[in-house]
Structures are given as C-alpha cells and as structure tokens.
Amino acid sequence: FISEGYETVTTRQLAERVGISQTGLYVYFKNKEEILEELRQSTFQQLAARLADIVAGRARGIALLKRMLHGYMEFALDNADEYQLTFMVTHASLKHHEEKNLERPAADQPVAIQVFLTFRDQVAKLIAAGVLRRGDATAVTQMLWGALHGLAVLLITHPTFPWADHRHVIDTLVDTLVRGLKAPA
C-alpha cells in the first residue's frame, strides 16, 4: 500500500507479495479494504498501548502531558508507514457510519476513539486541577492532536525538506502548545 499506493494495489498483487494465492488471501480477508482496516486497528492498538504505558508511569501534571505529546510523535515517526496507512489513506468503504458519542465509556468505543479518550481524560484532569486554562477538554485535545498530526505528516511525507533537528522541532511544538494552555499563575 505504501510503495504502490493503496488505490492502485490489487488483491492479486498483495497475495503475490506475501507468497500465497489470491484465493488463499480471501480465506483471511474479503478485500483489500479489510486488510487496510486490520492494519489500522493494529496501529491504533499499538498507539493505545504506548499511551497507556506513559499514563501508568510516574509523570504527573504537565510532565505527563508533555510525555504523552512526545510519545505520540515518537510513535508516528517510529511507525511512519503504519501512521500513513492509518491516518492518511481514505477509502469510502472505510468510513464508519456509526454514531460517534465521546460520552460512552471508553471500553465501549472503537480503539481509535479510546486513544483519543486517553488524551482527553488527562487534559480534563489538568483543566479540573487548574493546571491548564479553563476550556472544553474535547476541543483542547482535538487541537493538541491536530497540531501533532500536522507536524507528523509533514515530517513523514517531506523528509527531504531542510528540517531543523527533528527533536528540536518537536520539543518546540510541545513546549509552545503546553505554554499556551497553562493556566495563568
């Protein structure tokens, strides 16, 4: 999907690439959309595990938020192909038409929403504790995720751009976001 482009790859090509017949591939997946969806689910599960490890660690408050933001960026760059397939490939059959209700318990949500809720829960705690400015935790989390995603996409898709040191760019983004959200002393 990455090297040839999702839209142009056929199930016959996929089967040849993994060394099975096209019929054999259909034993596991009905079509390439199911394969992509399985890859996406796996990527979200890995990201969820990474964030759960960070939350379970010793960091608290702003330090925890920064670790989560850095963890997201590290995950995106360490898993660039999976990140592209998960966040940057669209296909009409993959659009879920189920109701999206962020108020349902996390355990009842798709793993992608669970990842978002992990972020939002931490942001909500920081807002409630007066560490971050008052605001809607959902909107703040979406802004954070959007900023991280934007930088991740640029770093992944434009590797030949004359970037400053990636770590410095990421640190600057995280520091700027957090500084802008901190509650006034």
Side-chain angles (χ1 to χ4, degrees):
F1 290 154
I2 292 293
S3 64
E4 304 296 325
Y6 172 77
E7 291 298 330
T8 61
V9 170
T10 65
T11 54
R12 181 181 311 274
Q13 290 171 310
L14 291 171
E16 286 176 12
R17 187 77 173 254
V18 297
I20 61 174
S21 70
Q22 188 174 16
T23 305
L25 182 68
Y26 288 134
V27 169
Y28 301 100
F29 302 99
K30 287 190 282 191
N31 51 43
K32 71 179 184 178
E33 290 81 12
E34 276 192 7
I35 296 169
L36 180 59
E37 186 58 25
E38 181 65 30
L39 290 168
R40 287 177 165 173
Q41 292 302 310
S42 175
T43 301
F44 275 121
Q45 288 167 351
Q46 292 172 46
L47 179 56
R50 169 90 54 104
L51 293 176
D53 287 346
I54 291 169
V55 170
R58 294 183 181 194
R60 295 291 170 254
I62 292 293
L64 174 58
L65 180 60
K66 283 185 170 186
R67 286 202 24 85
M68 290 178 70
L69 299 175
H70 280 286
Y72 180 94
M73 288 300 299
E74 289 166 6
F75 180 85
L77 298 178
D78 290 347
N79 301 280
D81 289 346
E82 294 86 348
Y83 191 88
Q84 286 185 72
L85 292 173
T86 300
F87 289 102
M88 297 159 49
V89 172
T90 58
H91 190 276
S93 68
L94 293 172
K95 294 179 181 170
H96 299 286
H97 298 289
E98 64 187 59
E99 177 187 344
K100 302 289 192 265
N101 180 349
L102 296 176
E103 301 313 314
R104 288 193 343 235
D108 297 339
Q109 300 278 11
V111 68
I113 301 297
Q114 290 176 21
V115 171
F116 174 80
L117 292 175
T118 298
F119 264 105
R120 190 188 69 180
D121 290 349
Q122 297 307 313
V123 168
K125 288 176 185 177
L126 292 172
I127 291 170
V131 175
L132 296 182
R133 295 176 182 273
R134 290 179 161 270
D136 176 63
T138 298
V140 170
T141 305
Q142 290 171 348
M143 180 276 305
L144 289 169
W145 195 315
L148 295 173
H149 174 72
L151 181 57
V153 167
L154 287 170
L155 292 173
I156 291 168
T157 60
H158 299 287
T160 60
F161 183 80
W163 294 104
D165 175 70
H166 286 190
R167 188 65 168 167
H168 179 69
V169 172
I170 293 166
D171 288 346
T172 301
L173 175 65
V174 168
D175 289 343
T176 301
L177 291 169
V178 170
R179 194 173 330 124
L181 290 172
K182 272 188 184 178

